Amino acid sequence: MTSSKTSDNLPAGTLTVTGLHPSGAGLSTFEGLTVLVPGAIPGDVVDARWTPPKPGGRFGLAQSFTVVSASPDADPTRCPLADACGGCPAGRLRYEAELAVKTRLLLEEPLRAAGFAVPVETPAGQPEGARTGFRNKAILRPVRIDGKLRFGMYRARSHEVVPAEDCPQTPAWMAEALRRTAEVLTEVPLYDEKTGEGILRAVLLRDGAVGGTTDEEPGKAARTRLLTPVLKSFDAVDLQTLDAMLRAALAGRDGREEKEDLRVTLIWRENAEPGNAVPGPGRSWSADAVDAIDARVMDDIFAVGPDTFLQVNAVQTPVLYRKAIDALELTGDEDLLDLYSGVGTITLALARRTKGRVLGIEVNPKSVENARRNAARAGLENRTRFEAGLVEDLLSNLLAEEASAGFRPVKAVIDPAFKGIEASVAKALGDAGLTRLVYVSCNPQTFVRDAKRLEAAGLKLIRVEAVDMFLGALHLEAVGTFVRNG
């Protein structure tokens, strides 16, 4: 079939989507050219118009499309926002089909290509009755639609904001909090990341009770809901007045009509850096002088602030952590390592399952501060140690220092960020004499790379499990088990 030209001189034609690109866009081929179709899914037949590849580029990019024939794996009931919002590129697929595609594309094919013959177990998918309202964190950007302030997500492969206050993955209170926030902040100029002008950059929300209550005592009202408006500058607004107005609105006492008290903790963040990172570097301010809310993960309660890393899927996080802990095959008396330990979620779970000590290393000083606070609250401060810094800078020296006190870790959990681990960390782990290591990964590409590094250091990959933490997104959390070679 030959393509035609549209009025804007772009090629156009009918495309059959046969797969998914790692970005989540649909993959199709037209007369030898691979065209990415953001928002389309395997099996769709679409009429599209696309921009040709730039010089040296490999892909055309669909600018718009209409579905001529929907994929047999399409499920139009999953998300009413899926056609516009870029947050869930696989959100139109039947969930079972999504899991199959992600397992093959993200784990099976990369591992096979790298020469690993280990089995990949069927992923632990989200239970059918828990596929809405499960996210404990959301970041939404401001946009004006017909003069009205709204909050939303970026459209696929763009920075155009699509209203998404009613994302079905978030708890209902977040949508109501965003509507009340929009009423209060409606006159604040919106930040433009291209020019650097404007004030209101985003709103971050967290819910610490999605996975269960955090009340430690009967009748005690824990802080479990957080709302953080992110501003370019505190000095550009009357912050205390805005804070008083927003607190009143969130509490349902703004004087106009009686509304439910959402019981939200308000912490403001200033971020003057260019770009779109949220919350980003900068100072925080709260009229209550608080810096965190409470969040329950498995057996413990954790202090969680705007910057804290915490798995966003409250339903699947215990599933993921139990797989990691079970893979260690603990005997109950080992010393253990927890690298990239965050606020200590895995560290404390390990400390509850061994009589030995657990050493955690985390780059974010605020997370380390909260981890120590969390360990003290759990009564585990004497069996845990947390240090702030890069793992590659601290690990070898800390192991040597702790060895003089009789600390001999034989097993470890590592849960690095998207970029994975440095080659020096793999070598240090190999030199540490570990008998077993469990690698929790959110990025299969770096996981495969690091598995090669670990095998070169004497730790052999024997099993890969997967947990779906990101419904609708082209991501899986992998749990790889390594044992000492020989």
Side-chain angles (χ1 to χ4, degrees), residues 21 23 25 36-38 61 86 154-159:
H21 183 263
S23 67
L36 302 181
V37 189
L61 177 62
Y154 290 134
R155 190 182 295 277
R157 297 182 71 87
S158 82
H159 281 198

Side-chain angles (χ1 to χ4, degrees), residues 34 120 284 345 408 431 441:
T34 299
V120 178
S284 295
T345 48
R408 300 282 193 278
D431 293 343
S441 171

Side-chain angles (χ1 to χ4, degrees), residues 349-382:
L350 293 175
R352 289 191 179 279
R353 290 160 173 80
T354 181
K355 296 176 183 177
R357 296 177 60 235
V358 188
L359 171 62
I361 303 176
E362 163 60 37
V363 69
N364 187 317
K366 186 64 178 178
S367 290
V368 170
E369 178 185 326
N370 284 338
R372 292 168 178 160
R373 183 195 312 181
N374 298 329
R377 172 189 256 177
L380 296 169
E381 66 270 36
N382 292 329

Side-chain angles (χ1 to χ4, degrees), residues 116-187:
F116 290 104
V118 295
V120 178
E121 299 188 10
T122 301
Q126 191 96 358
E128 186 172 358
R131 294 176 187 170
T132 60
F134 60 85
R135 285 186 67 97
N136 58 33
K137 178 183 176 183
I139 296 174
L140 292 96
R141 318 279 173 166
V143 63
R144 294 199 193 280
I145 306 291
D146 297 327
K148 185 177 181 181
L149 179 58
R150 302 285 303 275
F151 292 98
M153 303 284 291
Y154 290 134
R155 190 182 295 277
R157 297 182 71 87
S158 82
H159 281 198
E160 176 191 354
V161 177
V162 177
E165 298 95 340
D166 293 301
C167 171
Q169 294 190 2
T170 57
W173 73 264
M174 290 187 180
E176 178 60 22
L178 286 166
R179 281 187 274 272
R180 297 186 195 182
T181 300
E183 292 177 0
V184 174
L185 303 185
T186 186
E187 300 298 328

